[in-house]
């Protein structure tokens, strides 16, 4: 199959996981919402951004903790929850729900020994200080420990640049990987990250962010909950309360399509789908 067919099959697998999560959360009174590119796709395309290859959902911390606790053994058959606590080689400091019997293989997962299925990312939103300097310090610390986790598990980290600069960044990651393996453990990384989490109940007017991916501007509670509804691939699903303001906060002019050269699909090295078919970068490029 070519890359476009592989992308369509990947999106279909991810959608099936998303719908299973939605049914599970409805049964267990867990509030969740589409976020980031998934919310953007719903608002702008009523589904996937055509070139996008992942699904992200968010929950406030209390709902996230409840979700993780119940989903460890309670997800529908064919789906499984994965976190650093229950999965060897798992670097993200947030949860993923895998579709069992599938594979989403990157160089990072190969290095870390993670048999990663096709997945949906599940991010907790945590309170951060309203003071700008204190907030920035918290976000820097969160980013430090998330990067440390990725570098501990693999020296083959995706880097933002190409060419000579990209080569230098990849070399630096390999060196940092060796240092991280000498100085850190997954338990130490998780413990330091957990110190940043404020689990007191969220209130109106709080500033929230995904500490496990702290590269966006904080949002007010009122932008996220109570959730609204948006159409995604023909399904009415939860979205941030003020979805347009949420998207403006994250993307600015979100209605404008990016230039064609910036519409990139980042398929992994190898995909195995639930029907047994496969796609590999070398064969599908």
């Amino acid at each position: 199959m070519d890359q476009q067919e592989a992308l369509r099959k990947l999106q279909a697998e991810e959608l099936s996981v998303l719908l299973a999560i939605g049914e599970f959360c409805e049964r267990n009174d867990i509030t969740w919402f589409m976020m980031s590119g998934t919310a953007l796709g719903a608002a702008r395309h009523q589904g996937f951004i055509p070139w996008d290859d992942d699904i992200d959902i968010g929950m406030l911390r209390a709902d996230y903790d409840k979700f993780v606790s119940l989903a460890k053994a309670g997800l529908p058959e064919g789906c499984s929850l994965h976190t650093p606590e229950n999965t060897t080689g798992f670097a993200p400091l947030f949860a993923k729900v895998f579709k069992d019997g599938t594979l989403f293989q990157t160089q990072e997962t190969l290095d870390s020994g993670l048999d990663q299925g096709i997945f949906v990312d599940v991010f907790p939103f945590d309170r951060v200080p309203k003071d700008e300097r204190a907030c920035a310090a918290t976000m820097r610390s969160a980013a430090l420990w998330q990067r440390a986790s990725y570098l501990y598990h693999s020296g083959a980290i995706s880097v933002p640049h190409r060419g000579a600069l990209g080569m230098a960044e990849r070399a630096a990651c390999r060196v940092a990987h060796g240092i991280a393996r000498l100085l850190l453990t997954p338990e130490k990384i998780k413990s330091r990250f957990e110190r940043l989490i404020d689990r007191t109940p969220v209130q109106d007017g709080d500033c929230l962010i995904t500490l496990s991916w702290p590269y966006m501007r904080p949002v007010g509670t009122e932008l996220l909950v109570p959730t609204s509804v948006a159409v995604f691939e023909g399904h009415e699903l939860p979205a941030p309360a003020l979805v347009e303001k949420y998207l403006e906060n994250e993307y600015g002019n979100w209605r404008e399509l990016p230039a064609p050269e910036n519409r990139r699909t980042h398929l992994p090295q190898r995909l195995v789908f639930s029907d047994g078919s496969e796609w590999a970068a070398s064969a599908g490029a």
Side-chain angles (χ1 to χ4, degrees):
M1 71 183 74
D2 62 19
Q3 178 173 300
Q4 197 58 37
E5 183 181 356
L7 175 60
R8 288 195 297 269
K9 286 176 72 74
L10 174 61
Q11 290 174 340
E13 299 273 29
E14 291 169 344
L15 178 61
S16 71
V17 176
L18 178 66
L19 296 178
I21 293 171
E23 292 174 2
F24 175 82
C25 289
E26 185 174 3
R27 288 199 310 272
N28 291 283
D29 194 26
I30 296 171
T31 299
W32 67 280
F33 44 86
M34 296 178 286
M35 60 173 284
S36 297
T38 308
L40 174 59
R44 196 171 65 194
H45 305 276
Q46 291 73 58
F48 284 98
I49 297 172
W51 52 90
D52 199 11
D53 59 356
D54 67 355
I55 288 179
D56 299 320
I57 67 172
M59 303 174 182
L60 302 190
R61 171 58 69 174
D63 285 294
Y64 175 86
D65 286 345
K66 181 179 179 180
F67 175 79
V68 168
S69 176
L70 296 177
K72 287 178 180 177
L75 284 173
E77 184 176 356
C79 294
S80 55
L81 179 80
H82 296 266
T83 69
E85 290 78 19
N86 71 357
T87 304
T88 300
F90 193 90
L93 297 176
F94 54 89
K96 292 175 181 273
V97 175
F98 291 1
K99 185 160 190 177
D100 299 334
T102 66
L103 184 68
F104 189 101
Q105 187 179 76
T106 68
Q107 189 58 53
E108 289 181 37
T109 63
L110 280 170
D111 282 2
S112 64
L114 173 63
D115 292 326
Q116 178 173 255
I118 292 171
F119 60 88
V120 167
D121 287 328
V122 185
F123 289 95
F125 276 74
D126 289 298
R127 179 192 286 108
V128 290
K130 293 182 182 179
D131 177 79
E132 289 188 10
R133 294 181 65 180
C135 178
T138 299
M139 292 168 64
R140 285 195 300 270
S141 294
L144 169 66
W145 292 112
Q146 179 63 93
R147 285 196 296 266
S149 185
Y150 280 114
L151 287 168
Y152 177 89
H153 287 91
S154 173
I157 305 298
S158 297
V159 297
H161 299 99
R162 300 180 180 181
L165 181 55
M167 291 178 62
E169 289 171 339
R170 285 189 289 273
C173 286
R174 288 191 291 271
V175 172
H177 171 63
I179 295 171
R181 299 290 290 195
L182 287 173
L183 300 179
L184 299 171
T185 65
E187 294 73 22
K188 182 177 182 179
I189 293 168
K190 186 69 163 50
S191 174
R192 294 296 180 88
F193 182 81
E194 284 282 332
R195 295 179 188 179
L196 302 171
I197 298 172
D198 179 355
R199 283 188 164 86
T200 55
V202 169
Q203 299 179 1
D204 291 344
D206 283 342
C207 292
L208 307 176
I209 200 165
T210 53
L211 287 176
S212 47
W213 193 253
Y215 303 108
M216 63 185 74
R217 294 171 59 192
V219 298
T221 308
E222 68 281 0
L223 265 65
L224 301 179
V225 292
T227 58
S228 62
V229 174
V231 174
F232 187 87
E233 298 297 330
H235 301 272
E236 292 188 345
L237 298 175
L242 302 177
V243 64
E244 293 191 359
K245 289 187 176 180
Y246 165 81
L247 292 171
E248 288 168 7
N249 182 77
E250 187 162 351
Y251 297 107
N253 184 10
W254 57 271
R255 292 178 177 83
E256 183 178 350
L257 291 172
E261 61 270 19
N262 293 326
R263 302 175 192 178
R264 297 174 182 171
T265 299
H266 302 287
L267 291 180
Q269 291 186 347
R270 183 177 173 226
L271 286 164
V272 178
F273 300 101
S274 57
D275 63 3
S277 61
E278 298 190 20
W279 178 88
S282 57

